[in-house]
Amino acid sequence: MGKYRDDKRRSDDVSHIKNKVKRAEVLSRVKVAKSKAKKETRKREEEEAKAQGKKVERAPQKTLETLRQFDDTLVEEGDSEVEEEVKDDEFARFFAGETPRTVITTARRPSKKMIEFIRELLEVFPGSFYYERKGYELKKICEFAAERSFTNIFVLDEKGCKPRSLIAVHLPEGPTATFKISNVKLRKHLHSSGVATRHKPELILHNFVTSLGYRLGRMMASWFPQWAQFEGRRVVTFHNQRDFIFFRHHRYAFRKEGQKAVLQELGPRFTLKLRSLQEGTFDTKMGELEFAYQKEMG
């Protein structure tokens, strides 16, 4: 009876191997062999099709982006309706040339690591200043900053000496965005990193293509002066992919008469995920939400 089961067992079945390490080794060899056989079969089929004069068409590679369902909130480039809406939105004056000024603060009693993170953020955002939180409520901080012509407030929170959230308030009318922060790496932890200069950076916003993304992208753009100083060769990137926003800060240099560019990361490096977007300045009771993250969103 046992012999019959052995004869019928699939060639890739390793459940009968009791040793965990040995089982993993055998399974790995089986997977490699299957992958190799699949490639050889595909190559043979392509050669046969070419010999018969047939056009060879490969199926598109399955990735998260190619499998993503169509989003009817996508904003097409040159959408006249959207362009008309943003002419008088909360960020319009910055695209007309107004200079942003940002207050950066924290929850009470920030750790040494948080202060190091803030020190690097001050280099990223021109016109930014750090103020100690002390005992002030966020509503009071908003009033203080608006009276002194600041245009943004960043409030950073941490857990276990690691940054975990960012509240970004646009002044004086809002909106207020709340982000989760993860994967923070400071300059000293980056390979061959450099030190940022005081030049105003160029800004890249990639893949903010839905109506919510477009609005969020305009908010992020308002954190920076709209006129970059290209001689500094600094570039700040917000790359949106699957609703995670990857932040990078680089210096670039051209080689071979401008045909090739090399990058040097300046830091910090981190990832944002939008948790909420609220109309107006920070208000946990009466504020109207434009967006709120739900668990089923992934």
Side-chain angles (χ1 to χ4, degrees), residues 74-85:
L74 289 175
V75 176
E76 299 291 338
E77 188 175 352
D79 189 317
S80 57
E81 185 178 342
V82 173
E83 290 178 353
E84 191 65 31
E85 287 179 359

Side-chain angles (χ1 to χ4, degrees), residues 58-212:
R58 285 193 176 187
Q61 190 174 5
K62 293 182 179 180
T63 65
L64 288 173
E65 292 302 320
T66 58
L67 295 174
R68 193 170 193 172
Q69 295 182 352
F70 175 74
D71 190 340
D72 58 6
T73 66
L74 289 175
V75 176
E76 299 291 338
E77 188 175 352
D79 189 317
S80 57
E81 185 178 342
V82 173
E83 290 178 353
E84 191 65 31
E85 287 179 359
V86 300
K87 277 184 178 179
D88 299 312
D89 69 1
E90 305 96 323
F91 317 113
R93 69 185 195 273
F94 297 96
F95 291 91
E98 185 171 331
T99 302
R101 299 179 69 236
T102 303
V103 170
I104 300 179
T105 188
T106 65
R108 297 168 180 83
R109 296 184 294 278
S111 67
K112 182 180 177 181
K113 290 183 178 179
M114 175 62 83
I115 295 300
E116 290 178 353
F117 182 45
I118 291 173
R119 190 175 293 120
E120 294 191 13
L121 290 180
L122 291 171
E123 296 178 359
V124 171
F125 298 96
S128 59
F129 303 86
Y130 170 67
Y131 286 87
E132 190 178 347
R133 176 72 176 269
K134 295 184 178 179
Y136 294 105
E137 298 294 330
L138 186 50
K139 292 292 287 183
K140 290 293 183 182
I141 296 174
C142 290
E143 294 172 6
F144 165 88
E147 288 171 359
R148 288 158 180 77
S149 301
F150 283 99
T151 59
N152 303 290
I153 298 175
F154 295 164
V155 183
L156 293 156
D157 190 18
E158 61 186 317
K159 184 177 182 180
C161 296
K162 291 183 179 180
R164 68 169 181 177
S165 69
L166 164 67
I167 299 174
V169 184
H170 184 74
L171 299 173
E173 302 171 349
T176 299
T178 303
F179 301 92
K180 175 185 175 182
I181 303 180
S182 59
N183 304 323
V184 175
K185 280 194 175 183
L186 301 179
R187 181 185 300 129
K188 63 184 179 182
H189 299 135
L190 299 173
H191 178 67
S192 300
S193 59
V195 178
T197 63
R198 292 183 177 274
H199 294 89
K200 296 174 183 176
E202 301 168 54
L203 179 63
I204 296 175
L205 294 165
H206 183 258
N207 208 27
F208 290 82
V209 293
T210 64
S211 55
L212 174 63

Side-chain angles (χ1 to χ4, degrees), residues 5-6 9-31:
R5 283 199 299 270
D6 290 341
R9 183 180 288 129
R10 290 170 48 189
S11 60
D12 59 349
D13 183 11
V14 296
S15 60
H16 62 286
I17 302 175
K18 303 300 181 182
N19 187 286
K20 184 178 180 180
V21 176
K22 184 66 177 177
R23 186 167 65 246
E25 290 176 356
V26 173
L27 184 60
S28 178
R29 289 198 296 269
V30 168
K31 287 182 177 180

